[in-house]
């Protein structure tokens, strides 16, 4: 339920200023107020709603919000990949290649949901491999909102211009090549290039800024 609300807010289906009441949501989703309250708390922590006396008021995302999210992602993956570049990670590279294969399969069968999940998984595998508890905790704090952004944007890509996913797959291949090279500068260049493209695409697809 929280995932559905998150996507409705981030896609603009629930407009900025919309008031969400616990009673309304309880009736809509057919569940008690306790899980509704917890879902609203999560969305409030993510900055998507503002909890007020009259109910939860939808805030949505601004350009600044999205830029800050991708700043955090870029910093995380810069650090992690630089750390991983110091030694070989053959098992990780194999998993990353498998994830790309799954992305290709998802593209072939027009499965934007699986494509988005595999895109997220690719980056998550890298973060997990770094074996850094606090970095992982930071990643987990933004994981669901990043996934929602990918789901919304990937659906739009598949619907409007499916060929646009091919350069995205190529970018992931280039990141693997950079990791294999163990060249820190090359790794950083590829990560920055990928994230700037993704940031621009997601910003164009998502903004419900007033």
């Amino acid at each position: 339920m929280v995932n559905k609300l998150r996507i409705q807010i981030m896609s603009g289906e629930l407009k900025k200023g919309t008031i969400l009441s616990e009673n309304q949501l309880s009736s809509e989703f057919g569940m008690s107020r306790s899980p509704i309250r917890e879902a609203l708390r999560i969305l409030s922590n993510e900055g998507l709603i503002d909890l007020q006396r009259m109910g939860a008021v939808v805030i949505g995302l601004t350009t600044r919000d999205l830029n800050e999210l991708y700043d955090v992602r870029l910093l995380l993956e810069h650090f992690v990949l630089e750390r991983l570049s110091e030694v070989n990670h053959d098992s990780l590279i194999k998993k990353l290649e498998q994830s790309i294969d799954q992305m290709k399969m998802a593209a072939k069968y027009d499965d934007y949901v699986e494509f988005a999940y595999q895109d997220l998984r690719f980056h998550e595998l890298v973060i997990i491999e770094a074996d850094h508890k606090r970095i992982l905790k930071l990643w987990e704090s933004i994981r669901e909102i990043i996934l929602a952004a990918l789901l919304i944007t990937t659906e739009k890509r598949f619907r409007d211009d499916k060929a646009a996913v091919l350069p995205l797959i190529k970018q992931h291949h280039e990141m693997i090549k950079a990791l294999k090279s163990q060249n820190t500068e090359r790794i950083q260049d590829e990560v920055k290039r990928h994230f700037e493209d993704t940031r621009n695409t997601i910003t164009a697809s998502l903004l419900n800024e007033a």
Side-chain angles (χ1 to χ4, degrees):
M1 182 270 294
V2 67
N3 293 329
K4 183 174 181 180
L5 285 174
R6 184 184 291 111
I7 287 176
Q8 287 177 333
I9 292 170
M10 292 175 63
S11 67
E13 183 180 343
L14 286 173
K15 302 295 183 186
K16 183 177 181 179
T18 300
I19 297 175
L20 306 173
S21 73
E22 289 182 12
N23 287 337
Q24 164 213 335
L25 294 173
S26 180
S27 174
E28 180 181 340
F29 289 100
M31 56 179 61
S32 68
R33 291 175 64 178
S34 179
I36 297 294
R37 196 172 295 119
E38 174 62 15
L40 294 177
R41 183 191 66 77
I42 291 170
L43 295 174
S44 175
N45 288 341
E46 292 175 348
L48 295 176
I49 62 172
D50 181 24
L51 295 178
Q52 299 183 7
R53 184 173 298 178
M54 84 279 287
V57 181
V58 172
I59 298 174
L61 288 174
T62 64
T63 304
R64 179 173 178 172
D65 293 326
L66 287 169
N67 281 333
E68 288 181 354
L69 278 170
Y70 272 82
D71 286 343
V72 172
R73 283 198 69 188
L74 181 58
L75 288 169
L76 283 177
E77 294 205 34
H78 254 163
F79 171 82
V80 166
L81 284 166
E82 184 173 337
R83 181 181 172 114
L84 295 180
S85 70
E86 297 171 1
V87 294
N88 287 322
H89 288 275
D90 293 339
S91 62
L92 170 63
I93 288 169
K94 184 176 180 180
K95 291 175 185 176
L96 295 177
E97 289 172 341
Q98 289 171 345
S99 188
I100 290 178
D101 287 342
Q102 291 299 315
M103 290 170 71
K104 291 177 180 176
M105 189 67 68
K108 179 179 179 180
Y109 290 101
D110 294 319
D111 188 346
Y112 79 88
V113 173
E114 179 64 16
F115 190 98
Y117 272 103
Q118 291 300 330
D119 189 346
L120 184 84
R121 181 174 182 269
F122 182 99
H123 297 278
E124 191 165 62
L125 284 168
V126 172
I127 290 169
I128 291 170
E129 183 75 10
D131 192 25
H132 192 299
K133 289 190 296 184
R134 294 190 183 276
I135 289 290
L136 183 59
K137 192 74 173 177
L138 183 55
W139 162 252
E140 289 172 346
S141 73
I142 63 170
R143 181 187 189 276
E144 297 307 318
I145 199 167
I146 292 296
L147 175 58
L150 285 173
L151 285 167
I152 295 165
T153 305
T154 305
E155 180 183 22
K156 188 174 189 301
R157 268 177 161 158
F158 271 53
R159 184 180 66 245
D160 296 347
D161 183 14
K162 187 181 168 183
V165 304
L166 299 178
L168 182 60
I169 292 172
K170 183 179 179 181
Q171 286 174 17
H172 286 81
H173 273 301
E174 293 302 320
M175 288 175 68
I176 290 178
K177 289 179 183 177
L179 184 57
K180 285 179 177 178
S181 75
Q182 296 183 270
N183 182 312
T184 302
E185 186 175 343
R186 180 178 176 185
I187 290 170
Q188 290 179 342
D189 286 345
E190 288 301 334
V191 171
K192 185 175 181 180
R193 187 177 297 112
H194 173 65
F195 273 93
E196 286 307 309
D197 176 71
T198 305
R199 184 201 300 261
N200 292 337
T201 302
I202 286 183
T203 299
S205 298
L206 283 189
L207 280 186
N208 28 305
E209 186 177 9

